[in-house]
Amino acid sequence: MSELKKKSEENLRAAQLLNLNEHRLFASSVHCAYYSCFQLIKSILLKHVFQSEDEYNLEENKSNKNSHEFAINRLSIDFAKKRPLELRKYSNEINQLKELRVISDYKLEEIQIDKSQKAVDLAIRVRNVLLREYKV
């Protein structure tokens, strides 16, 4: 198992724990839910799309996109080859999760349990699709 996949699983567990009422760390839960997906996406790209981390980094630098946009978009290209009919749902869910993470990390908006739970649910759905399709 790759180190990124281990971190991805740890972040999902953290998101679920932080979301519990006894902890009430909802913004941190959203952050962890998103990163659980981002780390899994990068792990998949390194295992199934690119030959090495150096090749990944070179392509990311050439893309003129930030690391998150690059990874999400690049996996969408590969995902479209495998499951074109499911691409829209996957893209919609990962983008919703990304937007929740932006609100959680950078906006002045308070994160309550409803958004935190939505982020955890989205992360679980995205991860399940990726784990099923890429067998990682």
Side-chain angles (χ1 to χ4, degrees):
M1 178 186 307
S2 81
E3 191 60 35
L4 280 173
K5 186 175 179 220
K6 285 184 209 175
K7 290 177 182 181
S8 169
E9 291 172 357
E10 186 176 307
N11 268 314
L12 181 61
R13 286 193 310 273
Q16 291 168 320
L17 288 171
L18 293 168
N19 196 42
L20 297 174
N21 268 332
E22 65 213 47
H23 299 294
R24 301 185 60 82
L25 298 170
F26 303 131
S28 295
S29 176
V30 172
H31 179 90
C32 290
Y34 171 79
Y35 272 92
S36 75
C37 291
F38 175 73
Q39 289 162 327
L40 183 59
I41 288 168
K42 187 170 180 181
S43 176
I44 290 167
L45 289 170
L46 290 170
K47 183 174 181 179
H48 292 280
V49 177
F50 294 98
Q51 301 297 321
S52 67
E53 191 170 9
D54 288 339
E55 181 186 356
Y56 176 96
N57 292 334
L58 181 66
E59 289 299 316
E60 180 185 339
N61 289 336
K62 287 194 312 189
S63 76
N64 292 321
K65 295 179 179 172
N66 70 46
S67 60
H68 295 247
E69 284 181 88
F70 171 76
I72 290 169
N73 291 344
R74 186 58 186 87
L75 189 68
S76 292
I77 291 167
D78 192 69
F79 194 78
K81 294 175 190 172
K82 291 179 168 294
R83 303 293 288 225
L85 298 176
E86 290 187 25
L87 177 63
R88 179 176 282 197
K89 182 178 179 193
Y90 158 77
S91 293
N92 183 38
E93 289 178 341
I94 192 65
N95 286 321
Q96 284 182 61
L97 184 54
K98 185 177 176 184
E99 180 58 28
L100 285 169
R101 199 274 303 188
V102 168
I103 292 167
S104 171
D105 286 355
Y106 304 116
K107 305 291 181 178
L108 297 177
E109 184 177 326
E110 183 178 9
I111 301 296
Q112 293 294 329
I113 194 167
D114 59 331
K115 286 187 178 162
S116 179
Q117 187 59 55
K118 182 177 180 179
V120 170
D121 292 344
L122 285 166
I124 290 169
R125 287 199 302 271
V126 167
R127 287 175 47 80
N128 285 344
V129 166
L130 296 177
L131 291 168
R132 182 180 68 244
E133 293 303 320
Y134 288 94
K135 314 264 189 277
V136 289

